[in-house]
mmCIF file of all heavy atoms in Angstrom:
data_model
loop_
_atom_site.group_PDB
_atom_site.id
_atom_site.type_symbol
_atom_site.label_atom_id
_atom_site.label_comp_id
_atom_site.label_asym_id
_atom_site.label_seq_id
_atom_site.Cartn_x
_atom_site.Cartn_y
_atom_site.Cartn_z
ATOM 1 N N PRO A 207 -68.581 -54.215 33.553
ATOM 2 C CA PRO A 207 -68.965 -53.215 34.551
ATOM 3 C C PRO A 207 -67.900 -52.149 34.780
ATOM 4 O O PRO A 207 -66.703 -52.439 34.847
ATOM 5 C CB PRO A 207 -69.161 -54.064 35.818
ATOM 6 C CG PRO A 207 -69.512 -55.419 35.318
ATOM 7 C CD PRO A 207 -68.720 -55.598 34.066
ATOM 8 N N GLY A 208 -68.347 -50.900 34.886
ATOM 9 C CA GLY A 208 -67.488 -49.821 35.340
ATOM 10 C C GLY A 208 -66.640 -49.127 34.301
ATOM 11 O O GLY A 208 -65.714 -48.411 34.663
ATOM 12 N N LEU A 209 -66.968 -49.285 33.005
ATOM 13 C CA LEU A 209 -66.141 -48.654 31.971
ATOM 14 C C LEU A 209 -66.982 -47.839 30.978
ATOM 15 O O LEU A 209 -66.853 -48.000 29.764
ATOM 16 C CB LEU A 209 -65.345 -49.721 31.214
ATOM 17 C CG LEU A 209 -64.292 -50.480 32.015
ATOM 18 C CD1 LEU A 209 -63.731 -51.630 31.192
ATOM 19 C CD2 LEU A 209 -63.168 -49.541 32.459
ATOM 20 N N PRO A 210 -67.840 -46.943 31.435
ATOM 21 C CA PRO A 210 -68.711 -46.220 30.497
ATOM 22 C C PRO A 210 -67.942 -45.313 29.548
ATOM 23 O O PRO A 210 -68.211 -45.285 28.341
ATOM 24 C CB PRO A 210 -69.642 -45.419 31.404
ATOM 25 C CG PRO A 210 -68.899 -45.268 32.692
ATOM 26 C CD PRO A 210 -68.108 -46.537 32.837
ATOM 27 N N ALA A 211 -66.970 -44.560 30.058
ATOM 28 C CA ALA A 211 -66.225 -43.652 29.185
ATOM 29 C C ALA A 211 -65.332 -44.431 28.228
ATOM 30 O O ALA A 211 -65.236 -44.108 27.038
ATOM 31 C CB ALA A 211 -65.389 -42.691 30.028
ATOM 32 N N TYR A 212 -64.682 -45.464 28.726
ATOM 33 C CA TYR A 212 -63.789 -46.264 27.884
ATOM 34 C C TYR A 212 -64.569 -46.972 26.774
ATOM 35 O O TYR A 212 -64.157 -46.959 25.606
ATOM 36 C CB TYR A 212 -63.058 -47.287 28.754
ATOM 37 C CG TYR A 212 -62.077 -48.148 27.994
ATOM 38 C CD1 TYR A 212 -60.863 -47.629 27.557
ATOM 39 C CD2 TYR A 212 -62.364 -49.489 27.733
ATOM 40 C CE1 TYR A 212 -59.960 -48.423 26.870
ATOM 41 C CE2 TYR A 212 -61.460 -50.286 27.058
ATOM 42 C CZ TYR A 212 -60.262 -49.754 26.621
ATOM 43 O OH TYR A 212 -59.372 -50.549 25.943
ATOM 44 N N SER A 213 -65.688 -47.569 27.119
ATOM 45 C CA SER A 213 -66.501 -48.247 26.104
ATOM 46 C C SER A 213 -66.999 -47.263 25.051
ATOM 47 O O SER A 213 -66.975 -47.550 23.846
ATOM 48 C CB SER A 213 -67.692 -48.947 26.770
ATOM 49 O OG SER A 213 -67.259 -49.994 27.599
ATOM 50 N N ALA A 214 -67.458 -46.106 25.501
ATOM 51 C CA ALA A 214 -67.936 -45.093 24.563
ATOM 52 C C ALA A 214 -66.814 -44.622 23.642
ATOM 53 O O ALA A 214 -66.998 -44.448 22.427
ATOM 54 C CB ALA A 214 -68.521 -43.907 25.330
ATOM 55 N N ALA A 215 -65.624 -44.422 24.210
ATOM 56 C CA ALA A 215 -64.497 -43.948 23.407
ATOM 57 C C ALA A 215 -64.086 -44.975 22.368
ATOM 58 O O ALA A 215 -63.821 -44.632 21.200
ATOM 59 C CB ALA A 215 -63.314 -43.625 24.322
ATOM 60 N N LYS A 216 -64.040 -46.243 22.741
ATOM 61 C CA LYS A 216 -63.614 -47.268 21.795
ATOM 62 C C LYS A 216 -64.669 -47.526 20.716
ATOM 63 O O LYS A 216 -64.331 -47.823 19.561
ATOM 64 C CB LYS A 216 -63.274 -48.559 22.541
ATOM 65 C CG LYS A 216 -62.008 -48.466 23.374
ATOM 66 C CD LYS A 216 -60.781 -48.160 22.527
ATOM 67 C CE LYS A 216 -59.498 -48.244 23.330
ATOM 68 N NZ LYS A 216 -58.292 -47.979 22.517
ATOM 69 N N ALA A 217 -65.942 -47.415 21.075
ATOM 70 C CA ALA A 217 -66.992 -47.535 20.057
ATOM 71 C C ALA A 217 -66.887 -46.400 19.047
ATOM 72 O O ALA A 217 -66.993 -46.602 17.827
ATOM 73 C CB ALA A 217 -68.369 -47.538 20.723
ATOM 74 N N ALA A 218 -66.681 -45.188 19.549
ATOM 75 C CA ALA A 218 -66.533 -44.042 18.658
ATOM 76 C C ALA A 218 -65.271 -44.151 17.814
ATOM 77 O O ALA A 218 -65.251 -43.750 16.640
ATOM 78 C CB ALA A 218 -66.519 -42.749 19.469
ATOM 79 N N LEU A 219 -64.195 -44.695 18.394
ATOM 80 C CA LEU A 219 -62.951 -44.861 17.652
ATOM 81 C C LEU A 219 -63.139 -45.787 16.455
ATOM 82 O O LEU A 219 -62.642 -45.510 15.356
ATOM 83 C CB LEU A 219 -61.869 -45.410 18.576
ATOM 84 C CG LEU A 219 -60.492 -45.636 17.945
ATOM 85 C CD1 LEU A 219 -59.890 -44.325 17.475
ATOM 86 C CD2 LEU A 219 -59.567 -46.340 18.932
ATOM 87 N N ALA A 220 -63.862 -46.883 16.648
ATOM 88 C CA ALA A 220 -64.126 -47.799 15.539
ATOM 89 C C ALA A 220 -64.956 -47.125 14.453
ATOM 90 O O ALA A 220 -64.696 -47.292 13.253
ATOM 91 C CB ALA A 220 -64.833 -49.055 16.055
ATOM 92 N N ALA A 221 -65.952 -46.342 14.860
ATOM 93 C CA ALA A 221 -66.783 -45.626 13.886
ATOM 94 C C ALA A 221 -65.955 -44.582 13.141
ATOM 95 O O ALA A 221 -66.087 -44.419 11.920
ATOM 96 C CB ALA A 221 -67.964 -44.963 14.594
ATOM 97 N N PHE A 222 -65.101 -43.868 13.859
ATOM 98 C CA PHE A 222 -64.237 -42.871 13.236
ATOM 99 C C PHE A 222 -63.310 -43.520 12.209
ATOM 100 O O PHE A 222 -63.110 -42.990 11.105
ATOM 101 C CB PHE A 222 -63.421 -42.163 14.313
ATOM 102 C CG PHE A 222 -62.344 -41.256 13.783
ATOM 103 C CD1 PHE A 222 -62.661 -40.108 13.073
ATOM 104 C CD2 PHE A 222 -61.003 -41.563 13.981
ATOM 105 C CE1 PHE A 222 -61.671 -39.267 12.575
ATOM 106 C CE2 PHE A 222 -60.002 -40.730 13.498
ATOM 107 C CZ PHE A 222 -60.338 -39.580 12.788
ATOM 108 N N THR A 223 -62.772 -44.667 12.544
ATOM 109 C CA THR A 223 -61.860 -45.355 11.631
ATOM 110 C C THR A 223 -62.585 -45.818 10.373
ATOM 111 O O THR A 223 -62.055 -45.699 9.257
ATOM 112 C CB THR A 223 -61.199 -46.545 12.351
ATOM 113 O OG1 THR A 223 -60.595 -46.088 13.573
ATOM 114 C CG2 THR A 223 -60.127 -47.178 11.482
ATOM 115 N N ARG A 224 -63.795 -46.324 10.527
ATOM 116 C CA ARG A 224 -64.574 -46.697 9.340
ATOM 117 C C ARG A 224 -64.842 -45.480 8.463
ATOM 118 O O ARG A 224 -64.822 -45.558 7.230
ATOM 119 C CB ARG A 224 -65.896 -47.357 9.754
ATOM 120 C CG ARG A 224 -65.732 -48.738 10.365
ATOM 121 C CD ARG A 224 -67.067 -49.458 10.492
ATOM 122 N NE ARG A 224 -67.969 -48.782 11.414
ATOM 123 C CZ ARG A 224 -68.028 -49.038 12.725
ATOM 124 N NH1 ARG A 224 -67.209 -49.933 13.264
ATOM 125 N NH2 ARG A 224 -68.887 -48.402 13.491
ATOM 126 N N GLN A 225 -65.111 -44.348 9.103
ATOM 127 C CA GLN A 225 -65.362 -43.129 8.344
ATOM 128 C C GLN A 225 -64.124 -42.704 7.554
ATOM 129 O O GLN A 225 -64.229 -42.249 6.410
ATOM 130 C CB GLN A 225 -65.784 -42.005 9.286
ATOM 131 C CG GLN A 225 -66.298 -40.762 8.577
ATOM 132 C CD GLN A 225 -67.610 -41.010 7.866
ATOM 133 O OE1 GLN A 225 -68.545 -41.560 8.445
ATOM 134 N NE2 GLN A 225 -67.685 -40.624 6.592
ATOM 135 N N LEU A 226 -62.958 -42.847 8.156
ATOM 136 C CA LEU A 226 -61.724 -42.558 7.424
ATOM 137 C C LEU A 226 -61.619 -43.430 6.173
ATOM 138 O O LEU A 226 -61.224 -42.950 5.105
ATOM 139 C CB LEU A 226 -60.506 -42.802 8.321
ATOM 140 C CG LEU A 226 -60.283 -41.861 9.501
ATOM 141 C CD1 LEU A 226 -59.057 -42.306 10.292
ATOM 142 C CD2 LEU A 226 -60.116 -40.419 9.044
ATOM 143 N N ALA A 227 -61.941 -44.705 6.319
ATOM 144 C CA ALA A 227 -61.859 -45.615 5.174
ATOM 145 C C ALA A 227 -62.766 -45.173 4.040
ATOM 146 O O ALA A 227 -62.394 -45.233 2.863
ATOM 147 C CB ALA A 227 -62.211 -47.040 5.613
ATOM 148 N N VAL A 228 -63.963 -44.707 4.388
ATOM 149 C CA VAL A 228 -64.919 -44.261 3.379
ATOM 150 C C VAL A 228 -64.467 -42.944 2.730
ATOM 151 O O VAL A 228 -64.480 -42.797 1.506
ATOM 152 C CB VAL A 228 -66.317 -44.091 4.012
ATOM 153 C CG1 VAL A 228 -67.271 -43.405 3.044
ATOM 154 C CG2 VAL A 228 -66.869 -45.446 4.439
#
Side-chain angles (χ1 to χ4, degrees):
L209 294 172
Y212 182 74
S213 294
K216 290 299 187 179
L219 180 63
F222 171 66
T223 307
R224 290 192 296 270
Q225 190 67 49
L226 292 178
V228 170

